[in-house]
Amino acid sequence: CDNGANMLIAVPGGSEGPGGVLICAENYVIYKHQNHKEVKAPIPRRADLPQSRGVLLVSYAAHKQKSMFFFLVQSEYGDLYKVTLDCERETVKDLKIRYFDTIPVCTSICVLKSGFLFAGSECGDHALYQFLGIGDDENEAVASASQAMATENGLQPVEFSPRPLKNLLLIDAIESLSPVCDMKVANLFEEETKQMYTLTGKGPWSTMKILRPGQTVAEMAVSPLPGSPNGVWTIKENKSQEFDSFILVSFKNASLVLSVGESVEEVTDSGFQTTSATLDVKLMADDSILQVVPTGLRHILGDGRVNEWRCPGRKQITSVSCNERQVVAALTGYELVYFELDETGQLLESEKKDMAGEISSVCIAPIPAGKLRSKFLAIGGYDATIRVLSLDPHDCLSPLAVQAVAAVPSSMLFINISTSDFDEDTKSLYLQAGLANGILLRTEIDSVTGQLSDTRTRFLGTRPPKLVGLRIMGKESMMALSSRPWVGYTKEGRFTLTPISYEGLSHATHFSSEQCPEAIVGVAQTSLRILVIEHLGDVFNSSACGLKYTPRTMAVNEEQKVIAVGEADCGVVPNQFTTAMAPKENGDAMDTGEDDGENEPSEEKVQFGSVRGNPEQWASCIEVIDATSLSVSSQLELEGNYAVTCMAWVRFEGQEADILAVATALDIKLQPRGCSGGEIRLYTFKDKEKGLELLHSTSVRGIVRAMKPFQGRLLVGVGNALTLYELGKKQLLKKSENRKFPNFIVTIDTAGDRIYCGDAQESVHFCRYRWEDNLIHIYADDTIPRYMTASAVLDYNTVLGGDKFGNIFVCRLPKDVSKEVEDDPTGGRAMDNSSSALHSAPHKLESVCSFHLGDTVTAIQRTTMQPGGKEIVLYMTILGEIGALVPLTSKEDVDFFSHLEMHLRQDNQPLCGRDHLSYRSSYNPVRNVIDGGFCEQYSQISKELQSRIAEELDRSPGEVMKKLEDMRNKIL
């Protein structure tokens, strides 16, 4: 019925509706049914949309009730329409399409019965909206089949002006990186770990995001304190209370008690001693409260009476730990005192013991369910040992186990960890110990004998970690306070330790209130902070800077701490956006004029997008982003239908500062690929500013997709030619050129005098530049045609690359060939066969590794993410996946992970039944790459299967988990 039809929507039939289908075509929606005449209505279109551009519907959602039904459909421009049918029994009288709202373009939308709309965005974050109305406003633009007027070009279209959301309210969003156009890894903020700078999104919805490894927290409140605290605790008045009643802050010679209610206020009649420092506070099993001060214990009973125990002589408490029924205090003079709560509610001294050395920290284990006391006590000594003592009445304070550690244990914490998501009730007791050298040590405690096993370590920071117990999502968790805070929690059957992206905290504890059921109260310098962990489980947190057009390329300058971004959009009017003002009494106002000069698109611009133009029209600009303030410091609009294709920072020979080289193309045609010409423009920074100033431009014949600094010069890939330029006074000076590449150069990498070029269809080419004859020679290429998208040099003879079909691979030049090329005085020129009939290089690369990811790789970089960490290769795909390739340097690791992967392929097959090996070999047989994400599923399988696989590997399940955790910690 229409050559432009692209989507079918089923209409409810039977008792619910007339049946049939809605045919979504270009500019029209048509109702069709057997023995029923066609009902056709035009789709309302934006007033600023050129008549040459049609309107296509890309997604829909149906909503049915007992008495009515309607459809929500979305156009390719993001506009939502409400489609209704006026029918009598099985006869459709009219088809109406009414403008509803405008949201980002979605691949799928879903109307929930609870009154929400989920929008799976095509580019950018996914969103959840709440319905405020169902679009029955008669003032909205509506197209009707019965009222449509026929013209020479079809039915008369109905025009409307987009407006801010009226029928929908944004409730929440799921962050998405899709699509990722480019990625760089750098440390512009001089932090412990490097940051990832990514270009994501499309059009005015696009952003430059800075990704940091770590957990996001929301700062709920900040309150100044009268001094520098040395501890903070929260406590309830009794166990029946759901939320905390008091926050106790300890100072050097005093304690501050804050009451938690509708507001946080200081109180003086709480029963706590406020004239001295506090070491610990605990709510006991009988609803009494224990306050530990340096001179002794204060047991505050439920009726307000206070029982005190004072240290003998002039001794003081140096370290203390307690649970609901037991207390252990370490005194000066190497003395250890143990207390226990009896049946009458009295805290009695049960045992004393003189230790051989001074105690640095103590920790008592939590009481198991159904028991009256804990069996284990851990003691850290200044002799760099951890001792486990028994608390059983028959052999109280007798030693059970001892472990030597690398430094003095400054803080310890017992925590129960579930080792499998398959069985949440199966938990193991672990001892976490923060050492003075900044290392966190975790070791498992045998629940019967108290022996220590399965010890794991991780470096957290320069400060000794201070450990605090938390509850997150109802599970036991922990917080480690070092030079930066860390949170430890159980996820997918394993204990995960993640840094928190927040300033350093000196003290912290769990906090629960009506507004924040699971929060953290912490001390930073001289202020009290209340924090809430957001999106638990996210590996990265992001901060973003909005962009004007779709980002195409970026270049990071670590010296100036700026990011240059090249942006270009096809088919839009330059510098014009569809924007709407807030609704006024006389209706909605709309503006499609020129940009008002703001660097970032406003909220309305992000919502409605750019003004559409002719398909051959391009809008492009260069934006320089100051990383420290995350704001645009300079913006240059490209005129004359030029578009940015790539850019690079380069320091030419004899120059003291970096120059930004930007490649542009005129009148780009995507299919077939071509342009009317191009330029390479050089920009420098203005004096004492981060703005750009044009130095000069150089004309080129084709599209430039790759540039790279090379020995004080600039390598440029122009179409199928590789050109070497030198800086001149009025333009770049061409010094050398090789035009023998097969198709189109898309990547350039360098190492020494070698150049590695990636072709759009013919994989990697190894080249060499010789100063003696000023020529570039191709001396090696690949035997497999690969459609390259990104590459990185691993070593002098090895290149890692990704292609557009979702494969990553490693190609290597054989050692004997490498030596032959180096020894050849002509640099490979004598054996250059590129002029032969086959146009091939004299030597061939070996395929070392091959692996199918399933998604197009857009960026690859070799880097180390943390000081002392292992060198890895980071990659990002167009759908937003972040992956890492870690080299295995020992045969033991290769055997272990390859056998683990083999057993999981056999015993843990995918739900859909697809063969894992076959999938990873979709284009080329998988080779020398182990699927680490698949191996991580070991923690999610059943205990029986874990034990069987571990037995095949001649290891215990704990050793397998430790091996996986160690490999993961080498990355972040």
Side-chain angles (χ1 to χ4, degrees):
C1 63
D2 193 299
N3 292 332
N6 67 306
M7 188 168 63
L8 295 177
I9 302 175
V11 177
S15 60
E16 297 179 338
V21 294
L22 291 177
I23 301 173
C24 301
E26 186 175 7
N27 296 325
Y28 301 102
V29 175
I30 308 164
Y31 172 77
K32 295 280 285 187
H33 197 25
Q34 277 185 327
N35 302 322
H36 192 290
K37 69 175 183 178
E38 181 179 286
V39 182
K40 184 176 182 180
I43 301 173
R45 55 191 293 124
R46 295 187 180 186
D48 63 339
L49 191 65
Q51 293 299 321
S52 60
R53 297 189 71 114
V55 179
L56 284 176
L57 301 180
V58 295
S59 60
Y60 77 93
H63 178 67
K64 293 188 295 184
Q65 292 181 347
K66 291 183 179 180
S67 58
M68 54 86 74
F69 67 89
F70 65 86
F71 304 95
L72 278 183
V73 296
Q74 188 182 39
S75 73
E76 58 186 315
Y77 308 115
D79 301 317
L80 287 173
Y81 305 96
K82 179 184 178 183
V83 179
T84 56
L85 298 175
D86 292 342
C87 51
E88 294 180 2
R89 297 183 180 179
E90 296 183 355
T91 303
V92 176
K93 298 293 185 181
D94 197 6
L95 170 62
K96 293 183 179 179
I97 307 174
R98 188 185 303 273
Y99 173 64
F100 190 80
D101 260 329
T102 300
I103 62 175
V105 181
C106 302
T107 57
S108 179
I109 57 176
C110 180
V111 177
L112 308 180
K113 292 183 179 180
S114 54
F116 293 92
L117 172 72
F118 177 76
S121 181
E122 180 183 62
C123 300
D125 298 346
H126 312 303
L128 181 69
Y129 298 90
Q130 182 180 10
F131 281 97
L132 300 179
I134 58 173
D136 289 336
D137 189 353
E138 296 297 332
N139 296 324
E140 297 291 357
V142 58
S144 174
S146 61
Q147 299 178 3
M149 297 177 60
T151 64
E152 294 181 357
N153 298 324
L155 299 180
Q156 178 69 35
V158 176
E159 295 184 346
F160 69 94
S161 298
R163 51 161 173 73
L165 293 178
K166 178 179 178 181
N167 297 305
L168 296 175
L169 175 66
L170 180 62
I171 299 298
D172 198 7
I174 302 174
E175 186 174 4
S176 172
L177 295 178
S178 174
V180 174
C181 305
D182 200 359
M183 178 270 293
K184 304 291 182 186
V185 180
N187 192 3
L188 303 186
F189 295 89
E190 299 180 0
E191 298 175 350
E192 290 186 12
T193 57
K194 294 182 179 179
Q195 307 89 44
M196 300 171 63
Y197 299 84
T198 62
L199 301 181
T200 66
K202 176 183 176 183
W205 290 274
S206 57
T207 57
M208 192 285 296
K209 290 187 176 180
I210 302 177
L211 303 180
R212 290 181 173 88
Q215 193 68 51
T216 307
V217 293
E219 192 178 76
M220 307 303 294
V222 178
S223 178
L225 294 172
S228 180
N230 55 23
V232 60
W233 297 268
T234 57
I235 194 168
K236 303 174 183 177
E237 285 186 317
N238 53 69
K239 288 190 172 296
S240 61
Q241 283 188 336
E242 184 178 358
F243 306 118
D244 292 318
S245 301
F246 300 104
I247 299 175
L248 193 147
V249 184
S250 174
F251 299 91
K252 185 176 181 180
N253 296 313
S255 297
L256 177 67
V257 182
L258 304 174
S259 175
V260 180
E262 294 183 358
S263 61
V264 179
E265 300 176 348
E266 182 180 356
V267 294
T268 57
D269 57 350
S270 60
F272 292 105
Q273 181 175 313
T274 59
T275 57
S276 66
T278 300
L279 301 180
D280 201 357
V281 174
K282 187 71 177 179
L283 179 66
M284 307 302 286
D286 60 348
D287 288 338
S288 60
I289 297 175
L290 175 68
Q291 180 186 13
V292 183
V293 296
T295 57
L297 310 180
R298 301 184 74 256
H299 189 201
I300 307 171
L301 304 179
D303 56 6
R305 291 179 297 144
V306 178
N307 293 334
E308 294 191 18
W309 177 88
R310 294 191 175 277
C311 299
R314 295 186 176 181
K315 291 185 177 181
Q316 286 194 335
I317 298 176
T318 58
S319 181
V320 66
S321 178
C322 54
N323 56 32
E324 289 83 356
R325 306 192 66 90
Q326 298 162 287
V327 182
V328 173
L331 310 183
T332 53
Y334 313 157
E335 189 175 357
L336 193 67
V337 186
Y338 170 61
F339 302 85
E340 193 169 320
L341 192 69
D342 66 3
E343 297 178 355
T344 63
Q346 300 296 317
L347 195 62
L348 302 178
E349 181 182 326
S350 301
E351 193 70 36
K352 275 186 180 182
K353 185 173 183 178
D354 290 330
M355 306 302 293
E358 191 172 351
I359 299 170
S360 61
S361 60
V362 296
C363 183
I364 193 168
I367 300 175
K371 303 290 185 179
L372 291 178
R373 63 173 60 87
S374 172
K375 294 172 57 177
F376 305 119
L377 166 68
I379 296 177
Y382 280 98
D383 56 352
T385 59
I386 296 176
R387 303 176 188 274
V388 179
L389 307 183
S390 172
L391 295 180
D392 191 282
H394 302 292
D395 55 352
C396 192
L397 300 184
S398 61
L400 297 177
V402 62
Q403 180 174 346
V405 292
V408 176
S410 59
S411 179
M412 294 187 295
L413 177 70
F414 281 99
I415 184 173
N416 289 296
I417 299 176
S418 175
T419 54
S420 175
D421 276 358
F422 219 78
D423 186 4
E424 285 289 338
D425 296 331
T426 304
K427 295 183 178 180
S428 300
L429 183 63
Y430 285 82
L431 174 64
Q432 310 270 1
L435 307 184
N437 57 2
I439 289 178
L440 176 69
L441 179 143
R442 188 176 92 220
T443 183
E444 187 175 359
I445 305 282
D446 188 283
S447 59
V448 177
T449 63
Q451 294 298 309
L452 303 175
S453 62
D454 189 18
T455 301
R456 309 179 192 184
T457 59
R458 184 168 185 181
F459 179 75
L460 300 189
T462 55
R463 280 168 35 194
K466 179 180 175 62
L467 308 182
V468 180
L470 301 176
R471 291 199 72 84
I472 300 177
M473 300 180 67
K475 298 180 180 179
E476 287 189 54
S477 308
M478 62 165 282
M479 196 171 185
L481 308 177
S482 184
S483 51
R484 57 177 174 166
W486 297 67
V487 60
Y489 57 94
T490 304
K491 180 189 177 187
E492 296 179 355
R494 65 171 184 261
F495 186 75
T496 303
L497 195 64
T498 307
I500 295 178
S501 294
Y502 196 73
E503 63 180 292
L505 300 175
S506 55
H507 307 279
T509 188
H510 182 268
F511 176 66
S512 179
S513 67
E514 189 173 354
Q515 295 80 13
C516 309
E518 288 186 345
I520 299 168
V521 57
V523 174
Q525 298 176 354
T526 59
S527 62
L528 195 68
R529 316 284 179 95
I530 296 179
L531 311 173
V532 175
I533 295 178
E534 294 183 327
H535 310 298
L536 184 69
D538 287 356
V539 180
F540 296 93
N541 67 87
S542 65
S543 52
C545 176
L547 303 176
K548 196 172 184 179
Y549 305 120
T550 302
R552 304 289 177 173
T553 181
M554 70 186 303
V556 178
N557 190 316
E558 297 197 34
E559 185 177 318
Q560 296 288 338
K561 301 189 184 305
V562 296
I563 304 104
V565 181
E567 307 163 28
D569 267 331
C570 181
V572 301
V573 179
N575 219 30
Q576 292 190 17
F577 302 91
T578 304
T579 63
M581 305 301 292
K584 299 180 181 179
E585 294 181 358
N586 58 350
D588 294 341
M590 175 179 165
D591 174 27
T592 57
E594 292 192 358
D595 186 15
D596 57 3
E598 293 288 338
N599 288 332
E600 296 184 12
S602 67
E603 182 178 355
E604 289 78 12
K605 294 176 186 176
V606 172
Q607 186 178 0
F608 303 138
S610 302
V611 175
R612 302 289 171 165
N614 297 322
E616 300 83 13
Q617 197 169 14
W618 284 84
S620 182
C621 72
I622 303 168
E623 290 188 315
V624 178
I625 300 174
D626 187 352
T628 55
S629 62
L630 208 60
S631 60
V632 178
S633 61
S634 177
Q635 184 183 94
L636 296 176
E637 192 78 21
L638 271 63
E639 300 177 351
N641 214 33
Y642 276 93
V644 177
T645 57
C646 71
M647 58 174 52
W649 291 102
V650 56
R651 182 166 295 186
F652 288 97
E653 187 176 359
Q655 296 293 312
E656 297 181 355
D658 291 335
I659 294 177
L660 179 63
V662 179
T664 63
L666 176 64
D667 302 331
I668 299 177
K669 293 181 181 179
L670 302 178
Q671 187 63 32
R673 181 176 57 239
C675 67
S676 302
E679 291 181 347
I680 300 175
R681 307 182 183 187
L682 299 185
Y683 293 93
T684 58
F685 282 119
K686 297 178 182 178
D687 294 338
K688 299 181 181 180
E689 296 181 11
K690 293 184 179 179
L692 294 179
E693 186 176 22
L694 180 64
L695 183 63
H696 57 63
S697 61
T698 305
S699 297
V700 292
R701 293 186 299 271
I703 300 176
V704 178
R705 275 292 287 118
M707 294 192 296
K708 192 76 174 181
F710 179 70
Q711 299 179 358
R713 298 178 178 182
L714 180 64
L715 277 170
V716 180
V718 186
N720 67 338
L722 180 64
T723 308
L724 182 63
Y725 285 101
E726 192 176 74
L727 182 65
K729 291 184 177 181
K730 294 185 178 181
Q731 67 174 19
L732 292 173
L733 307 177
K734 185 186 296 186
K735 307 304 292 183
S736 180
E737 187 176 52
N738 187 319
R739 303 185 61 82
K740 298 178 182 180
F741 291 87
N743 297 287
F744 187 64
I745 298 174
V746 293
T747 66
I748 300 176
D749 295 288
T750 62
D753 60 354
R754 290 189 180 182
I755 306 168
Y756 313 87
C757 295
D759 188 82
Q761 298 180 19
E762 295 294 339
S763 191
V764 185
H765 293 69
F766 280 38
C767 312
R768 189 180 181 191
Y769 173 73
R770 284 178 52 83
W771 285 86
E772 293 83 354
D773 51 14
N774 196 32
L775 291 176
I776 300 173
H777 305 290
I778 303 173
Y779 62 87
D781 61 8
D782 198 0
T783 57
I784 302 175
R786 308 180 195 268
Y787 287 60
M788 295 282 292
T789 56
S791 65
V793 177
L794 298 186
D795 59 37
Y796 203 51
N797 297 320
T798 313
V799 172
L800 185 146
D803 65 24
K804 75 174 186 178
F805 299 112
N807 302 300
I808 54 174
F809 58 90
V810 175
C811 290
R812 177 174 291 163
L813 187 69
K815 285 185 178 180
D816 55 338
V817 175
S818 178
K819 187 176 186 302
E820 181 182 342
V821 171
E822 292 297 323
D823 295 341
D824 186 354
T826 66
R829 182 183 180 186
M831 301 182 64
D832 191 351
N833 300 327
S834 55
S835 60
S836 66
L838 296 178
H839 295 283
S840 62
H843 303 291
K844 297 300 174 183
L845 303 176
E846 296 178 344
S847 180
V848 180
C849 301
S850 181
F851 189 76
H852 179 65
L853 292 173
D855 193 9
T856 303
V857 178
T858 55
I860 298 176
Q861 185 167 342
R862 174 183 166 191
T863 184
T864 54
M865 289 298 293
Q866 56 186 349
K870 196 165 189 175
E871 193 172 37
I872 60 173
V873 176
L874 277 179
Y875 67 84
M876 291 196 76
T877 66
I878 196 167
L879 294 182
E881 177 187 340
I882 304 173
L885 299 171
V886 184
L888 299 179
T889 55
S890 67
K891 190 175 185 302
E892 178 190 356
D893 288 344
V894 174
D895 291 341
F896 169 80
F897 285 107
S898 59
H899 282 85
L900 176 60
E901 184 185 38
M902 180 189 68
H903 287 296
L904 286 173
R905 282 174 180 162
Q906 297 172 354
D907 300 329
N908 186 38
Q909 296 182 359
L911 290 175
C912 298
R914 188 169 187 176
D915 183 66
H916 175 264
L917 181 61
S918 174
Y919 174 70
R920 294 305 184 189
S921 306
S922 294
Y923 286 83
N924 298 295
V926 62
R927 185 178 185 185
N928 294 334
V929 180
I930 297 169
D931 191 346
F934 188 57
C935 293
E936 291 278 357
Q937 295 182 13
Y938 177 82
S939 62
Q940 303 174 38
I941 60 179
S942 64
K943 284 281 188 182
E944 296 76 12
L945 194 54
Q946 283 185 0
S947 300
R948 189 164 76 243
I949 293 176
E951 186 177 350
E952 294 287 340
L953 298 173
D954 294 329
R955 297 172 184 260
S956 66
E959 291 173 331
V960 176
M961 299 279 283
K962 180 182 179 181
K963 196 79 172 176
L964 291 169
E965 183 179 334
D966 290 343
M967 184 59 64
R968 188 168 54 250
N969 292 341
K970 290 178 181 179
I971 303 173
L972 292 176

